[in-house]
Amino acid sequence: QHDARSAREVVAAGGVETLAAAMAQHAKAAEVQQHACAVLWRVAQLGAPHTARAVAGRGGFEALEAVMQNFPAGSSAYESALLAVDVLQDHGLVEEDGDEEPRYPGKAYARIVVKPEPRYDGAVAMVGR
């Protein structure tokens, strides 16, 4: 499903943390990184702003940053990570830090500027249904 409710369900079920852990475990697997970045992008985009904050604050940003450090610019994994970071930036959750040397071609270093939201528990997730 590609809707806000599905994105919130992924967050409520611990999907961001699970993806971040899988990305760390398979750090050199380009296809795993590309698909995981695409899921983080979709979750952040569809359920914003809550799900975007969850991606930024529950390990997703660090996982995306690792992809951008471990894969060359222009690779599918890198570009997928860049798209997800752009969504976080669009929501004001990360910002370009002009004081730093750019770490990535075409992008300045991004840093988290919000604290993570608390998780939805099952009861809260059911309220919207």
Side-chain angles (χ1 to χ4, degrees):
Q1 298 271 342
H2 299 292
D3 57 29
R5 181 174 157 197
S6 296
R8 288 190 302 270
E9 288 173 357
V10 168
V11 168
V16 173
E17 296 90 339
T18 301
L19 276 170
M23 292 170 79
Q25 186 175 6
H26 303 283
K28 300 298 181 191
E31 191 170 338
V32 170
Q33 300 302 318
Q34 177 188 350
H35 290 297
C37 289
V39 172
L40 291 173
W41 167 75
R42 179 68 75 181
V43 167
Q45 181 186 46
L46 289 175
H50 168 72
T51 58
R53 280 193 292 273
V55 168
R58 297 184 186 178
F61 174 75
E62 291 81 5
L64 295 167
E65 185 177 40
V67 170
M68 294 174 73
Q69 291 171 346
N70 293 330
F71 291 89
S75 68
S76 296
Y78 181 96
E79 294 300 320
S80 293
L82 190 60
L83 284 172
V85 169
D86 283 346
V87 170
L88 300 179
Q89 189 175 16
D90 290 346
H91 289 288
L93 302 174
V94 297
E95 64 184 21
E96 293 182 338
D97 188 345
D99 297 335
E100 297 283 330
E101 273 299 307
R103 285 192 185 179
Y104 317 118
K107 286 300 255 186
Y109 173 71
R111 62 182 169 88
I112 266 192
V113 294
V114 297
K115 294 189 187 246
E117 257 187 35
R119 292 176 141 231
Y120 280 141
D121 64 12
V124 174
M126 299 298 285
V127 171
R129 291 182 185 205

